[in-house]
């Protein structure tokens, strides 16, 4: 959200309203079970601009959308590159792209969105696990171009499963390649042992890695850590205790009842409101909505804990109300 975000989800959802039909101009095997796809406009028109950390929606079929990080060069307006891991427990998305898509295939792709932007910092510590390398590739190119102080710690199960190693070899000892088969798990306690006030930590990979990095950064400034998840965080609390509440549309005064067990997004759609959405599990950020009144029970995997605590945005596909009413800026 899987290459960050490439994750498979089974909920049938409408296709994004602003997709474009792009052509696969190159398909490359990058590692065991990892392919890259280079996409271009069939008419030769420039593609939308994007910045490191951005991802796009890819429409696999009716009601099936996946998110993949853009991992090419943001300066290249003619091509987008994504990478796809063939998931062991795929629900159709990665298997389809691996087995059915070739050079010349057409894919419906949404515009870039960025929930993982590169912030200004004196120093950068980048940590990738497996396919989580993808959003970090354009970050590395950007940081290298700036002459910034950065280092990448790249872990994976085995060397042959780790994509883009040849690209990373150009950066010498700034890249630490750490296959688990050879060296064990990434030494996060050593990498993150000393909290730094002027460093940014960027991490993408499987949930076990993200949770370990979050724990290792417990003593760091809250603004230092930036993560992107493939899948939603493990739910906290007793979801069976969810109750119903009202949503009030600030612009019209329309009141919509959200039943227990139903999301705000679903309730608004049933009430006839056309709401942007994609993953419907709180990882892509497409349904981000501003609230102006009420107490939110944040359940997304996009906003940082600090943003959830002090911000005025929520992901209406998964987050709910702790109060009897929420007023949304719609």
């Amino acid at each position: 959200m899987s290459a960050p975000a490439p994750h498979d989800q089974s909920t049938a959802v409408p296709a994004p309203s602003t997709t474009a039909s792009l052509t696969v101009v190159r398909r490359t095997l990058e590692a065991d079970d990892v392919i890259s796809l280079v996409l271009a406009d069939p008419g030769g028109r420039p593609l939308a601009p994007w910045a490191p950390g951005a991802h796009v929606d890819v429409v696999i079929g009716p009601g099936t959308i996946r998110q993949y990080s853009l991992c090419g060069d943001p300066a290249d307006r003619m091509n987008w590159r994504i990478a796809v891991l063939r998931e062991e427990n795929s629900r159709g998305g990665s298997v389809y792209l691996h087995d059915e898509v070739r050079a010349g295939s057409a894919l419906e792709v949404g515009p870039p969105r960025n929930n993982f932007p590169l912030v200004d910092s004196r120093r950068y510590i980048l940590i990738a696990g497996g396919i989580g390398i993808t959003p970090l590739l354009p970050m590395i190119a950007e940081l290298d171009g700036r002459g910034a102080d950065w280092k990448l710690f790249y872990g994976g199960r085995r060397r042959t499963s780790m994509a883009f190693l040849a690209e990373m070899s150009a950066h010498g000892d700034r890249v630490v390649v750490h296959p688990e088969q050879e060296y064990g798990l990434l030494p996060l306690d050593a990498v993150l042992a000393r909290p730094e006030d002027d460093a940014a930590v960027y991490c993408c990979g499987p949930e076990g890695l993200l949770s370990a990095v979050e724990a290792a950064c417990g003593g760091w400034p809250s603004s230092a850590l930036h993560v992107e998840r493939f899948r939603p965080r493990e739910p906290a609390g007793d979801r069976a205790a969810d109750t119903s509440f009202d949503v009030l549309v600030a612009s019209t005064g329309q009141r919509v009842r959200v039943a227990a067990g139903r999301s705000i997004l679903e309730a608004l759609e049933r009430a006839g409101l056309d709401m942007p959405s994609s993953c419907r599990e709180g990882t892509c950020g497409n349904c981000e909505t501003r609230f102006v009144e009420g107490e939110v029970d944040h359940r997304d995997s996009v906003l940082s804990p600090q943003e959830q605590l002090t911000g005025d945005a929520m992901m209406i596909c998964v987050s709910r109300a702790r109060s009897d009413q929420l007023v949304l800026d719609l």
Side-chain angles (χ1 to χ4, degrees):
M1 333 92 234
S2 283
H7 56 275
D8 287 339
Q9 50 83 27
S10 57
T11 305
V13 298
S17 58
T18 56
T19 61
S21 181
L22 302 183
T23 300
V24 177
V25 297
R26 188 165 65 252
R27 181 186 191 274
T28 305
L29 182 65
E30 302 288 356
D32 294 347
D33 293 326
V34 178
I35 59 170
S36 66
L37 301 174
V38 175
L39 311 172
D41 182 274
R45 292 177 290 272
L47 301 174
W50 59 281
H55 68 270
V56 293
D57 290 335
V58 177
V59 181
I60 306 299
T64 305
I65 302 169
R66 305 291 184 263
Q67 291 79 40
Y68 296 95
S69 292
L70 291 171
C71 60
D73 180 2
D76 181 1
R77 293 290 306 278
M78 305 309 295
N79 298 286
W80 286 345
R81 183 176 70 168
I82 62 173
V84 183
L85 169 67
R86 186 185 183 98
E87 301 273 6
E88 292 181 3
N89 299 312
S90 173
R91 285 170 281 178
S94 69
V95 168
Y96 174 83
L97 292 173
H98 270 256
D99 292 354
E100 305 297 333
V101 173
R102 297 291 183 269
S105 297
L107 289 174
E108 289 293 318
V109 183
R113 294 197 308 275
N114 200 337
N115 303 317
F116 196 42
L118 190 59
V119 301
D120 289 331
S121 184
R122 185 194 64 81
R123 180 169 179 258
Y124 298 83
I125 300 171
L126 312 175
I127 302 171
I131 196 65
I133 188 64
T134 51
L136 302 185
L137 293 176
M139 291 186 183
I140 289 168
E142 170 75 17
L143 294 174
D144 211 47
R146 292 184 197 171
D149 181 359
W150 64 271
K151 190 152 190 172
L152 169 70
F153 298 88
Y154 181 15
R157 292 182 180 176
R158 57 191 181 278
R159 196 173 293 268
T160 59
S161 71
M162 299 170 69
F164 305 109
L165 287 181
E167 289 186 27
M168 293 296 93
S169 66
H171 298 292
D173 61 5
R174 281 188 158 187
V175 175
V176 176
V177 177
H178 199 95
E180 183 179 350
Q181 188 180 64
E182 299 173 32
Y183 306 114
L185 298 176
L186 281 167
L188 298 178
D189 288 341
V191 171
L192 301 169
R194 183 172 61 87
E196 300 179 39
D197 292 332
D198 52 358
V201 179
Y202 276 80
C203 181
C204 187
E207 184 59 35
L209 174 64
L210 296 179
S211 296
V213 168
E214 287 174 333
C217 284
W220 286 60
S222 60
S223 60
L225 179 59
H226 308 264
V227 302
E228 183 160 64
R229 281 181 153 79
F230 297 169
R231 300 185 184 278
R233 291 186 180 98
E234 287 298 315
D238 182 9
R239 298 299 170 87
D242 286 350
T243 60
S244 59
F245 56 93
D246 285 343
V247 163
L248 187 66
V249 179
S251 60
T252 65
Q254 181 178 0
R255 184 176 297 275
V256 177
R257 189 69 170 171
V258 181
R262 188 172 298 280
S263 71
I264 296 174
L265 175 61
E266 292 171 325
L268 292 176
E269 288 176 336
R270 282 178 169 250
L273 295 171
D274 184 16
M275 304 300 299
S277 68
S278 182
C279 73
R280 299 200 172 211
E281 56 184 15
T283 58
C284 77
N286 197 18
C287 70
E288 181 173 343
T289 302
R290 181 173 174 266
F291 65 93
V292 295
E293 185 180 309
E295 185 180 359
V296 174
D297 177 9
H298 290 285
R299 300 181 178 182
D300 68 276
S301 303
V302 177
L303 300 173
S304 69
Q306 184 65 22
E307 289 170 329
Q308 291 181 346
L309 182 64
T310 63
D312 61 358
M314 65 182 297
M315 306 302 154
I316 60 173
C317 66
V318 292
S319 296
R320 301 183 65 79
R322 297 187 188 277
S323 50
D324 293 334
Q325 175 179 282
L326 279 179
V327 181
L328 299 184
D329 185 17
L330 299 175

